[in-house]
Each structure stands twice: as structure tokens, then as C-alpha cells.
Amino acid sequence: MSLPTSTKAWVLTQYCTGPLSESENFALREFPIPELKDGEVLVKVQTIGLEPAMRPSYSLEKSYREPTPLNTPLWAFGVGEVVASKSDKLKTGAIAYGLFSMSQYHVAGPETPFLMPVDPKIGKQVLSLFAPPGLAAHVGLFEIGELKKGDTVLVSGAAGATGSIVIQIAKRVGAKKIIGIASKRKLDAVLADGADEAVAYDDDDFEEKLKKATGEDVNLYFENVGGKVLDAALGCMAAYGRIAVCGMISQYDSIGGDRNSFEGIKNIRYILTRRIKMQGYICSQVNDEAVPKAIKDLGAWAHDGSVKAAIYTHPDKGVEHCIKAFQGLLTGANTGKMTVDF
Amino acid sequence: MSLPTSTKAWVLTQYCTGPLSESENFALREFPIPELKDGEVLVKVQTIGLEPAMRPSYSLEKSYREPTPLNTPLWAFGVGEVVASKSDKLKTGAIAYGLFSMSQYHVAGPETPFLMPVDPKIGKQVLSLFAPPGLAAHVGLFEIGELKKGDTVLVSGAAGATGSIVIQIAKRVGAKKIIGIASKRKLDAVLADGADEAVAYDDDDFEEKLKKATGEDVNLYFENVGGKVLDAALGCMAAYGRIAVCGMISQYDSIGGDRNSFEGIKNIRYILTRRIKMQGYICSQVNDEAVPKAIKDLGAWAHDGSVKAAIYTHPDKGVEHCIKAFQGLLTGANTGKMTVDF
């Protein structure tokens, strides 16, 4: 097989100032593939994962991420076949995982974050387990949330890629009770993941039902949603509760907009009266050991079957569907990790 | 001198469900003084201190304090003269300090928290230094806020008993910059305590001025006020900032009342995007060493003059003015520790 000399890759052409538009903000461009240096491999991408965490890179607002450079291939976690190798660790024919790009082909090497062979027993789950969903779940639960056996655990966004893994880890560690918050139509998925109760945020009696389900005895709240869900959750915390703030997806559309478009949190006083610790985090920035530990644990748990990452495969195959799939992710089209096969 | 056989003491007659009312929630009652047992002393109270921390005890809402029992003398830190003694440690004539009650006379003994002779060099300052203001300042800054040299420190309620000590301790430890938030008329007191800048929350341009004064570079925010002050402070935090939540005095009169009377916090998203840790605490419950360490440090610093507790003496003397003084405390009538002399 002759090797390709160029690859199609998605780039950002203009920073987003509101809802993103494929035609206005992005373009699929052709890039030459450079010759491999020692230690490098050429990966033919088979599947990429889409991350909510990509969104902050696409605008200029001050955030925990630098804006992505314009007109260069966008970052994306991917799985693919090694089609050429100057590496001792990944030979031609191997299946590799790493922080690649939204491209058909990607040159990876010693500097590529997360580069590793894919364990066949884990397969595409790696795009959730060793990527933001799994890492954020593990690091948030253990390093920030101090999860321990016997805890009552509440999680919002419970049917999402991260929430699903949070439930499974909490179950594995021996939580006393796990309560998931999701939309009405996703409650079954939450229970199927192992939650003891599932409460719908789009139910009229949401707050009352949450108080009843939790008994106001939540030791650890894993926060993905923000807004009225956070407000209700604050009222359900036990004394000395911990809140791991992984995301606040309900509020993202307000960023950069009018201050009044943010939901005001009324129950913040419970931080004081119930002596709660609430902490935001980016899993790669917590400490040097957190992510390697998460990868080790999640790999072992995927092997023994106690944690399983649900993977959603976009119905349209090919690099050209990446941005469309990302837009679907932001509007909740998927249950489980959003991926695109090439 | 013949010893008294009864004492007037304030009791709660009905739990507060909104702003407290002296006539509806409290009564000054006469109680018999029991005979002293071995180890006990009878203290004629000279001065009591009023604490914001009393407020949660006065309503039934679940909190860090059990609701105070109705119709029994209310707790209060006090200084007084020992007028009868069955104790080896506090003889008649000694000046004693401890967790007494809102009464003219109080029987104290081995079970009385904080019971100790008053160091003449500290005097009435003990009601601030070894009481909630001083202890909360020390424990909040060090144990919760992880104060270190070079930090930019922001404190609200900066002219209050706790805020004043926070500024002095931060100065002593070598903070890079200290910014205090108070009402316009109290800004001078904040600067006099050693703050580098003072910002008025009752200024129309409050948020803008706070951003300018802090440079959005606050490493440690010491929170006493809540509401719009907290909201503005959240927008001024640096990455990895710590917020020690000592109090939220602006919200206390809403406790037990209508949910909508609480201020909604719009800037909560910064907890995530700036990876902030926000933690509520009660200084006596942080760990076993925190309070003894605070007492040791604050005693030494009061002796060497680096920390001085401002004491506000209510203009009306006598036990009958306690509730009025407490109401004044909640509405910010005092600068420094609110006390009532009997």
C-alpha cells in the first residue's frame, strides 16, 4: 500500500461569538503529511471522539483553555491503525489511541499526549474511559469528591458520557445510595447504569422529588449541569458534603452574553450552614498522579466488566461529519459518548 | 455582699421565620440561680459579646447548629467577675471568660467551653479574639483558605469584628495585597486596619471598582457577607482561588423565610472555569488542633501588638439591651465587635 501524502483536517477559520456555525467558523482543508521522524508513527484515524471540552477552545473568552489557533487541525482524541512507523513501541498494523486531530491521518510521536496501543478488550471505549468523560469522572470522584464506601452520591447529567461512568464507579466503590438527575426520557438509562433512583429535572416537582430521593443526605454531588439543578442539589447536601464541579452545561450558552441570562443560585447559603466544600477542577490540572491513576483504574475496571463506557456512533461516517456531530453533542442528540467513524 | 438568688436571662419564645422581632421571638425572664457544685463558679457578667453565629440557633431551619431550646437562657460569650467560687482555678474576685449566657449571672464550671481567667493585657478583646471573630478569622485563613505570604486577599464585612482581624492577620503573614469590602462610611476603618484598598458595596460602581482594586487576581476571599458581594467577589478570583465561607450575614434574615428573598448568585460558573475551592466551615469543627492553635497565636499577637481587636460597646448598658444590640449587629450598626456592658 502506498502511503498518503496529504490528509483532510478540520480547522477553525473564525472564533465563535455565539452558537457555532459549520460554514462560518470551520473549514475542512487539505494538509501535507510530513515525513516521519524517529519515534513517530502515521495513524489512519478510524474513530474520533467529540468533547464538550472542545467548545471553550473555539471562542476567545477567557477560560481554562487557550483559544485554539486558527487554520490548524483541531485537537481530538482518536483511535486508528498505525500505517507507517518509526517507533519501537507502535509497529505498523497496531491500533493506537491518543490526542490526535480531527483528520483522516495524524502523525503521532513521543510528544503526543495519551499515545498508547489500544487494549482489544476495551476497544473504542478508550475514547470515553481514557478521555475527558472517564478521567473527569474518576478524578472528580476521588481527588475532589473524596468518594468513599457508604457515601450517598448524587450526579447530574447522569445519562451523559461522564455521568454514566460516575454512577458505575460509585457503585463499584460501594456507595450507599446513588441518585441520578437527567431528563424524563433518559431516566431508564440512568437506572440501567446502576443508580438507585433517577429524578427528572424537567419534572414540575423536581425539587421535592430530589429532596425525597436523596433524603437531604448527599455526601458527594458530582456536578455537570449548573443552574436550577445545582440550586436544588445544594438543598439536598448533608453536613460536610463535597461538590465536585466538573461542568455546568446548562449555563454555557450564556457565556459571553448578558449577565442576567445566568441562573441565580439561591441556595448558596448551604455552603456555609452545611459546611460544604465545592470545587471546580480540570482533571489534568489536579496533580501529577491523578490522571495516570484514573487510567490504571479505569482500564482494570473495564477489563473486569464493572465499568462500561457507552459509545454512540454517529450515523454518518467520514471526517466531513465531525462538526455536525459536535453540534449534535451540544444539543444532547447522543446517549453515551459521541463518536464519528471514518 | 449577699449573693443573688435569681438572674434575668434572655430566652427564645418562638423560632424566627423571617426577620427577628424582640417582642415576638424573645423574652427576658427571671431564673433561679442554682447552688454551686464543686468546681463551679458564679460569674457576675460584666460584658457579653453578640455573634452573628447566634442567628441560626434562632430558627428551625437545618443548619450547623441545633435550634436553641425554647425558654432556656441563650448562649453568649461573656466576661465577668467571679462572685462565688467552688473552684481552685478561679477564685472569688477573678475576672473570667467563657461561653456563658445572655444573663446577669452565670454558673460556670469544668464543662463551660473556653472558661479561663482573662489576661489583663487582653481584657475585653478576649470577646473577639478567643470568640467566633478571632477564631473564625484564624481558622478560616489558615485551615480553609490556605493563606500564605504573597497572596492577594479579599475580605468582605471588612469593618466587622472578624474582617478587622482577617486584615491584620493577612498583613502579619505578608499578603501581597489586601482589599476590604465594607459600607462607604466604614472604609476608613478598613484602611486603618491595614488594608491596601477599601471598596464600598453600597457604591453604584461596586462591581467595577472591585474588579479594578483586585485586578481579578484574588487568591483568597474571606467571605462574611454573601449575596451580591459574593457574586461580585466570584468574578474577581484568580485561577485556583480559595473562598473561605465564614458567614453570609446579608442573607441571615431570609433564613426560614421565602426562598425568593435570597439573593441569586449569577457568577457561580467561575467555580468551574477558574477552578475555585469554596468551603464553608465552623471553626470548632475543622479539626481538633485548629482552635487551640488559633488561641495560642492570637494571644501572642495581641501581646506583641500585631493584632488588636476593636470592641464596640453598645451605648445602652444592661441585660435588657441584648436583643436590640443583636439586631443592630445584623444590620451593621457596629464597627468592631458588638458588646453590651451590664
Side-chain angles (χ1 to χ4, degrees):
Chain A
M1 175 181 119
S2 67
L3 290 176
T5 56
S6 70
T7 179
K8 283 184 183 161
W10 281 100
V11 300
L12 191 71
T13 55
Q14 190 177 299
Y15 291 105
C16 301
T17 55
L20 54 85
S21 150
E22 181 177 312
S23 60
E24 284 173 29
N25 303 108
F26 299 90
L28 190 59
R29 296 252 172 87
E30 193 86 20
F31 287 85
I33 296 174
E35 209 167 314
L36 295 185
K37 296 189 207 112
D38 277 349
E40 288 184 340
V41 296
L42 178 63
V43 177
K44 181 176 193 235
V45 177
Q46 296 172 328
T47 307
I48 66 145
L50 283 314
E51 310 296 338
M54 291 167 168
R55 183 66 182 80
S57 305
Y58 298 164
S59 81
L60 286 173
E61 183 164 310
K62 185 180 168 185
S63 165
Y64 50 77
R65 262 181 223 292
E66 290 302 305
T68 206
L70 296 179
N71 301 311
T72 57
L74 297 171
W75 66 266
F77 286 90
V79 166
E81 186 187 347
V82 174
V83 292
S85 172
K86 284 197 167 182
S87 160
D88 295 338
K89 290 172 190 152
L90 285 165
K91 293 290 178 195
T92 303
I95 304 299
Y97 167 72
L99 187 51
F100 300 159
S101 53
M102 239 183 244
S103 311
Q104 297 166 301
Y105 290 88
H106 185 87
V107 173
E111 304 301 309
T112 301
F114 295 91
L115 186 64
M116 62 179 87
V118 174
D119 180 334
K121 220 173 159 181
I122 294 180
K124 285 205 300 191
Q125 287 184 81
V126 72
L127 289 166
S128 186
L129 292 175
F130 298 174
L135 302 179
H138 188 287
V139 173
L141 284 172
F142 292 106
E143 303 287 334
I144 308 293
E146 303 161 38
L147 173 64
K148 50 191 169 304
K149 194 176 163 177
D151 276 345
T152 292
V153 176
L154 176 66
V155 53
S156 60
T162 302
S164 162
I165 297 175
V166 166
I167 291 170
Q168 295 175 69
I169 295 178
K171 194 96 185 164
R172 203 190 183 287
V173 169
K176 187 171 82 181
K177 189 174 185 181
I178 303 165
I179 306 101
I181 304 171
S183 63
K184 273 183 206 162
R185 68 190 177 88
K186 293 183 181 174
L187 296 189
D188 286 347
V190 174
L191 294 170
D193 274 332
D196 300 291
E197 300 216 28
V199 183
Y201 64 78
D202 47 357
D203 193 316
D204 286 342
D205 295 332
F206 168 54
E207 269 200 75
E208 270 169 60
K209 283 188 174 153
L210 191 67
K211 282 199 175 191
K212 209 176 153 198
T214 60
E216 293 188 49
D217 199 27
V218 174
N219 306 112
L220 197 175
Y221 172 45
F222 193 101
E223 169 64 318
N224 286 308
V225 172
K228 72 164 194 175
V229 173
L230 169 59
D231 217 349
L234 277 164
C236 296
M237 299 301 292
Y240 301 108
R242 295 90 62 195
I243 302 180
V245 182
C246 173
M248 290 194 181
I249 201 164
S250 73
Q251 307 295 294
Y252 289 176
D253 265 352
S254 300
I255 290 176
D258 178 3
R259 182 177 191 290
N260 288 316
S261 61
F262 291 100
E263 181 101 17
I265 305 298
K266 300 269 187 185
N267 280 339
I268 200 79
R269 69 190 181 283
Y270 292 119
I271 295 275
L272 174 66
T273 59
R274 299 187 184 173
R275 291 138 291 173
I276 293 165
K277 182 188 82 166
M278 180 173 180
Q279 189 168 359
Y281 69 101
I282 306 300
C283 57
S284 58
Q285 299 170 351
V286 169
N287 63 57
D288 290 345
E289 287 81 44
V291 165
K293 186 170 183 326
I295 289 178
K296 193 176 157 226
D297 284 349
L298 288 162
W301 299 342
H303 259 267
D304 74 18
S306 55
V307 173
K308 198 169 177 174
I311 301 292
Y312 175 91
T313 304
H314 196 271
D316 297 321
K317 287 187 196 308
V319 69
E320 60 271 33
H321 300 295
C322 287
I323 302 302
K324 189 172 65 181
F326 183 61
Q327 288 174 307
L329 171 67
L330 292 180
T331 53
N334 52 311
T335 300
K337 174 74 191 173
M338 173 70 90
T339 64
V340 180
D341 283 348
F342 289 0
Chain B
M1 176 180 118
S2 66
L3 291 176
T5 55
S6 70
T7 179
K8 281 185 185 162
W10 280 100
V11 301
L12 190 72
T13 55
Q14 190 177 303
Y15 292 106
C16 301
T17 55
L20 57 85
S21 150
E22 182 177 312
S23 59
E24 285 173 28
N25 302 108
F26 300 89
L28 190 59
R29 296 254 172 88
E30 194 87 19
F31 286 86
I33 297 174
E35 208 166 315
L36 295 185
K37 294 187 208 116
D38 277 349
E40 288 185 339
V41 296
L42 179 64
V43 178
K44 182 176 194 236
V45 177
Q46 296 172 328
T47 306
I48 65 147
L50 282 314
E51 310 297 338
M54 292 166 168
R55 182 66 181 80
S57 306
Y58 297 165
S59 80
L60 285 174
E61 185 165 307
K62 188 179 165 184
S63 163
Y64 51 79
R65 267 181 219 291
E66 290 301 306
T68 205
L70 296 179
N71 302 310
T72 57
L74 297 171
W75 67 265
F77 285 89
V79 166
E81 186 187 347
V82 174
V83 292
S85 172
K86 285 198 168 183
S87 159
D88 294 339
K89 290 171 190 153
L90 285 165
K91 292 292 177 194
T92 303
I95 303 298
Y97 167 70
L99 186 51
F100 300 159
S101 54
M102 237 183 247
S103 312
Q104 296 165 301
Y105 290 89
H106 186 85
V107 174
E111 305 300 309
T112 301
F114 295 90
L115 186 64
M116 62 178 88
V118 174
D119 178 337
K121 218 172 161 181
I122 295 180
K124 284 206 299 192
Q125 287 186 81
V126 71
L127 288 166
S128 188
L129 292 176
F130 298 174
L135 303 179
H138 189 286
V139 173
L141 284 172
F142 293 105
E143 305 285 337
I144 308 292
E146 303 161 38
L147 173 64
K148 48 192 170 300
K149 196 177 163 177
D151 276 345
T152 292
V153 177
L154 176 67
V155 53
S156 59
T162 303
S164 162
I165 297 174
V166 165
I167 292 170
Q168 295 175 69
I169 295 177
K171 195 95 185 164
R172 203 185 182 289
V173 169
K176 185 171 85 181
K177 189 173 186 181
I178 303 166
I179 306 101
I181 305 170
S183 63
K184 274 182 207 163
R185 66 192 178 86
K186 295 181 180 175
L187 296 187
D188 286 347
V190 174
L191 294 169
D193 275 331
D196 301 290
E197 299 215 32
V199 183
Y201 64 79
D202 47 357
D203 194 316
D204 285 342
D205 295 332
F206 168 53
E207 270 200 74
E208 271 170 58
K209 285 188 173 152
L210 191 66
K211 283 198 174 188
K212 209 176 153 201
T214 59
E216 293 189 47
D217 199 27
V218 174
N219 306 111
L220 197 175
Y221 171 45
F222 193 102
E223 167 65 318
N224 286 308
V225 171
K228 71 165 194 174
V229 173
L230 169 59
D231 219 348
L234 276 165
C236 296
M237 298 302 293
Y240 302 106
R242 293 91 61 195
I243 302 180
V245 182
C246 173
M248 290 194 180
I249 199 165
S250 72
Q251 307 295 294
Y252 288 178
D253 258 350
S254 299
I255 291 176
D258 178 7
R259 182 175 190 288
N260 288 315
S261 60
F262 291 100
E263 181 102 18
I265 304 300
K266 301 268 187 187
N267 280 340
I268 201 80
R269 69 189 180 284
Y270 292 119
I271 295 275
L272 175 66
T273 58
R274 300 188 184 171
R275 292 138 288 173
I276 294 166
K277 182 188 83 167
M278 180 174 180
Q279 188 170 359
Y281 70 101
I282 305 302
C283 56
S284 58
Q285 300 171 351
V286 170
N287 63 56
D288 290 346
E289 287 80 45
V291 165
K293 186 169 183 326
I295 289 179
K296 193 177 158 225
D297 283 349
L298 288 163
W301 299 343
H303 259 265
D304 76 17
S306 56
V307 173
K308 198 168 175 174
I311 302 292
Y312 175 91
T313 304
H314 195 271
D316 297 320
K317 288 190 198 306
V319 69
E320 59 272 30
H321 301 294
C322 287
I323 303 302
K324 189 172 66 183
F326 183 61
Q327 287 174 308
L329 170 68
L330 293 180
T331 53
N334 51 311
T335 300
K337 175 74 193 175
M338 173 70 89
T339 63
V340 180
D341 283 347
F342 290 180

